[in-house]
Amino acid sequence: MLQIQSFVFSPIQENTYILYNEFKQCIVIDPGCYFDAEKERLKNFITENELTPVLLLNTHCHLDHVFGNKFIAESYGLTLQLHEKEKMVLSYAPTSGLMYNMPFDNYAGVFIELKEGDTILLGEDILEILETPGHSPGSICFYCRKQNFVIGGDVLFHRSIGRTDLPGGDHQTLLNSIRKKLFVLPNETVVYNGHGSSTTIGEEKIYNPFLQ
């Protein structure tokens, strides 16, 4: 059974997630740690809980979700996994960082590409890949059917949706992704998103003003 630990990192207030199991293996998703103290906080949690990071995943590659990719990859010998369409977004992230006066060293290793229908395995637990473009061209969500939760990146928020005014974004594509990929999940499915508080599919079907 997976446990979920979240961290809020950087001035952009991004949610980073560690998923770990009873065998002390863990997945790091969207490491947004920017400052050294944030990197230490993430590493300390891993060390204090005697976890072994075995996977590094990105829901998408806007700068606030990738600040810590290089740090995690080099610290634990991991290869970044992402959707093929996010490679270009990742390559542009340091330029975006300079625009926000937040320079950083980008991940520069090889990639493992993820696509719809793929599964991520951590011990006995399974995460299904859902392609949910719109906020970013290759946005993906990680769905745990057994425990009824989804790590959703910046696709669907509590009473909101991801912005679509960045390169590669498209408003109608995002709405279609939410309706066809997320709103078909059980209403009780918890959505752990990239910013702010978690929500559920059922809540957003009723109350999200962008999807009425």
Side-chain angles (χ1 to χ4, degrees):
M1 184 170 178
L2 293 171
Q3 303 293 320
I4 302 172
Q5 177 67 37
S6 64
F7 303 84
V8 180
F9 287 142
S10 90
I12 307 176
Q13 298 286 282
E14 179 266 358
N15 293 333
T16 292
Y17 293 97
I18 291 183
L19 277 54
Y20 60 100
N21 62 17
E22 62 270 32
F23 306 111
K24 301 290 189 178
Q25 300 169 311
C26 75
I27 301 171
V28 181
I29 302 179
D30 290 356
C33 42
Y34 182 77
F35 300 109
D36 288 343
E38 294 177 334
K39 295 174 183 178
E40 283 304 305
R41 184 174 156 215
L42 190 61
K43 199 167 190 176
N44 286 343
F45 177 84
I46 292 169
T47 300
E48 289 167 5
N49 288 277
E50 301 178 332
L51 302 178
T52 301
V54 294
L55 297 168
L56 170 60
L57 311 178
N58 282 166
T59 61
H60 68 295
C61 293
H62 288 149
L63 80 163
D64 50 324
H65 292 255
V66 304
F67 284 140
N69 274 346
K70 184 173 187 246
F71 169 71
I72 293 298
E74 291 183 351
S75 295
Y76 301 105
L78 302 180
T79 299
L80 178 62
Q81 303 193 36
L82 76 179
H83 192 278
E84 188 270 337
K85 290 183 179 179
E86 288 301 294
K87 291 180 183 178
M88 185 176 296
V89 181
L90 180 64
S91 69
Y92 183 73
T95 302
S96 298
L98 294 177
M99 293 168 59
Y100 284 89
N101 196 29
M102 298 182 72
F104 72 99
D105 291 331
N106 205 9
Y107 175 88
V110 298
F111 302 102
I112 295 172
E113 296 179 8
L114 300 173
K115 63 184 184 302
E116 180 95 18
D118 288 347
T119 53
I120 298 291
L121 301 178
L122 187 72
E124 300 172 355
D125 296 292
I126 300 171
L127 298 176
E128 301 173 34
I129 306 298
L130 308 177
E131 290 185 359
T132 51
H135 171 67
S136 188
S139 287
I140 54 177
C141 297
F142 303 104
Y143 174 48
C144 182
R145 188 177 299 272
K146 184 171 72 173
Q147 291 179 233
N148 250 334
F149 72 81
V150 62
I151 308 294
D154 290 357
V155 175
L156 179 65
F157 296 123
H158 177 71
R159 309 290 192 272
S160 189
I161 60 174
R163 61 187 292 185
T164 54
D165 59 334
L166 298 172
D170 184 83
H171 184 74
Q172 192 57 52
T173 299
L174 178 61
L175 295 180
N176 290 342
S177 291
I178 294 170
R179 291 190 173 112
K180 294 178 180 180
K181 300 296 178 68
L182 297 183
F183 277 9
V184 298
L185 302 178
N187 286 338
E188 61 270 23
T189 303
V190 177
V191 181
Y192 294 102
N193 47 49
H195 302 272
S197 60
S198 61
T199 185
T200 66
I201 294 297
E203 280 187 65
E204 298 311 311
K205 281 182 180 178
I206 298 171
Y207 299 113
N208 195 305
F210 295 90
L211 292 148
Q212 299 307 310

